[in-house]
Amino acid sequence: MGHQHDVGARLEERERLLSPFAARSYESRGRERPEEPSPLRTQFQRDRDRIIHCKAFRRLKHKTQVFIAPVGDHFVTRLTHTLEVAQIARTIARALNLNEDLTEAIALGHDLGHPPFGHAGEEALAELLPEGFRHAEQSLRVVQRLENGGRGLNLTWEVRDGIVNSSKGRQDILADTLGLPATLEGQVVRLADAVAYINHDIADAVRAGILSEDELPVAVSEALGRGHSQRINALVCDIVDYSWAATGLAASESPPRIGMGPSIEEAANALREFLFQRVYLWEDRQAEVERAKRLVRFLFEYYVERPQEIDSDFLISSDPPWRQAADYVAGMTDLFALNMAARLGFREQGP
Ligand code: MG
């Protein structure tokens, strides 16, 4: 049926209308293992679908963003975070006439490798592994190796590049020291990630009673407005304005980049800094963070000694035990890790 109606040709025709700076699926650098094209979907659509159907995607629902196993149905999880990133990124990509399908695929895959307990889990693994641990690299590992019993999802190069370069680390919102994605679509996701988390983390902190909207820095409210939707809207509009050269509709000497204007960037960074001070590094949370890190360490050390106890679905048998243990523990959801640790004799210690 696909061939009869030649959907593929029509989809390609649509991609031709995108910005000259957009990534096009028919010009993709391709997959690790070549495949027959789908009759109804572009390569990037197909990647998006593979991500949605994979097991790591389902587990995002039970992974914490900032608050560890929070009590309450309205706290952000990695899944809702991921959906917010995808929605924000698609809005920007469509406004800039970039490839929305590629943007969506990268966004949905960007946090697949995030360990349980948010940044506490990531920090614990980074301290344990000889080569460190970064969730963006682990997300790539999930799609490239761990899913499908070691075969990976065989995604296109552009989606893998966007995923592995999706994280900025803990620095300036526009920092590119960890490597910038090769496509503008990947750059859109990177910024959309920041737009999403600074806003939902405020909402969660308010929900947790840690701060109130009135306490946000005045300069931030002046630049971005008040309330969740005003702030997101201000940030997204500014990104589109600032990055307009990406549409190919404006004369520009240098290759376009996705970014923010200086005043909005300053406000976004101020907001981020405020969150670090008041939420992420908040003293009262440190005990909780330490406990999560101790638990991750416990699980890792347990499985390094006993790799034979790791579910064969979550390891690559040719890897060294520390890599197998890291893959297994990083794949766990918060609750699974808590239950497993309790079963294996994890003892709460300290005051
Ligand atoms: Mg993220």
Side-chain angles (χ1 to χ4, degrees):
M1 146 200 149
H3 289 292
Q4 194 188 330
H5 297 286
D6 216 350
V7 175
R10 256 196 306 123
L11 295 179
E12 194 171 313
E13 213 39 58
R14 274 203 213 172
E15 284 199 345
R16 282 186 204 286
L17 301 176
L18 295 176
S19 158
F21 300 108
R24 288 165 168 76
S25 60
Y26 54 85
E27 290 171 351
S28 167
R29 294 200 208 173
R31 307 177 184 281
E32 286 182 298
R33 299 180 295 278
E35 291 180 32
E36 283 297 306
S38 150
L40 298 181
R41 295 168 299 163
T42 69
Q43 307 259 45
F44 298 148
Q45 283 181 282
R46 210 171 183 189
D47 284 0
R48 174 206 56 203
D49 297 350
R50 285 181 189 185
I51 289 167
I52 286 189
H53 289 289
C54 82
K55 287 186 296 188
F57 187 79
R58 297 188 173 185
R59 295 197 302 270
L60 292 174
K61 178 182 172 195
H62 301 288
K63 289 193 179 195
T64 304
Q65 188 71 19
V66 171
F67 296 90
I68 294 166
V71 185
D73 288 338
H74 298 132
F75 283 91
V76 170
T77 66
R78 289 254 157 231
L79 180 62
T80 56
H81 162 72
T82 293
L83 297 175
E84 287 184 31
V85 174
Q87 172 262 327
I88 290 167
R90 285 180 56 196
T91 300
I92 298 168
R94 197 187 288 193
L96 294 175
N97 207 17
L98 297 173
N99 198 318
E100 216 176 314
D101 298 327
L102 173 59
T103 312
E104 187 179 22
I106 296 170
L108 293 177
H110 88 283
D111 266 351
L112 289 178
H114 217 296
F117 312 124
H119 291 288
E122 184 169 25
E123 253 175 58
L125 286 173
E127 290 162 11
L128 288 163
L129 299 196
E131 54 187 30
F133 182 94
R134 286 183 45 223
H135 76 266
E137 285 166 3
Q138 188 67 15
S139 298
L140 178 65
R141 224 180 125 66
V142 166
V143 300
Q144 198 156 309
R145 303 285 318 274
L146 292 169
E147 282 288 329
N148 257 338
R151 289 174 54 77
L153 302 177
N154 199 28
L155 304 181
T156 57
W157 183 89
E158 290 75 10
V159 173
R160 283 179 281 139
D161 166 79
I163 287 175
V164 75
N165 291 305
S166 64
S167 172
K168 292 159 297 293
R170 293 197 170 180
Q171 357 168 13
D172 185 283
I173 223 153
L174 296 179
D176 58 6
T177 45
L178 288 178
L180 209 58
T183 62
L184 291 176
E185 286 81 357
Q187 293 182 28
V188 165
V189 172
R190 218 161 114 111
L191 261 189
D193 186 23
V195 170
Y197 80 71
I198 56 180
N199 284 290
H200 61 54
D201 288 354
I202 291 173
D204 270 5
V206 170
R207 187 162 286 123
I210 294 173
L211 51 91
S212 76
E213 176 83 31
D214 294 331
E215 291 174 89
L216 298 183
V218 178
V220 168
S221 318
E222 278 171 1
L224 304 179
R226 279 178 64 82
H228 194 72
S229 70
Q230 269 196 29
R231 275 191 298 271
I232 294 184
N233 186 57
L235 289 162
V236 167
C237 287
D238 183 73
I239 291 168
V240 170
D241 262 355
Y242 181 87
S243 316
W244 194 248
T247 58
L249 298 172
S252 161
E253 282 150 34
S254 45
R257 251 183 91 148
I258 306 300
M260 287 179 188
S263 64
I264 299 293
E265 183 195 351
E266 198 181 310
N269 275 322
L271 198 50
R272 201 161 163 276
E273 187 50 37
F274 175 78
L275 282 167
F276 268 101
Q277 299 309 324
R278 289 293 305 275
V279 183
Y280 306 145
L281 304 176
W282 183 44
E283 276 174 25
D284 289 17
R285 284 197 64 232
Q286 290 315 301
E288 188 190 44
V289 167
E290 275 315 313
R291 175 175 176 259
K293 287 178 72 174
R294 223 164 46 225
L295 196 145
V296 168
R297 262 196 305 271
F298 170 86
L299 287 170
F300 176 82
E301 279 156 8
Y302 181 92
Y303 286 108
V304 165
E305 296 301 321
R306 304 165 191 81
Q308 69 282 1
E309 288 185 32
I310 297 175
D311 188 328
S312 62
D313 249 18
F314 295 91
L315 64 74
I316 293 165
S317 49
S318 53
D319 281 337
W322 60 266
R323 187 69 254 180
Q324 296 178 334
D327 285 340
Y328 190 41
V329 175
M332 291 180 182
T333 62
D334 293 19
L335 207 56
F336 186 92
L338 285 166
N339 291 338
M340 190 56 96
R343 233 181 69 194
L344 299 175
F346 175 67
R347 293 269 171 272
E348 308 284 345
Q349 28 164 285

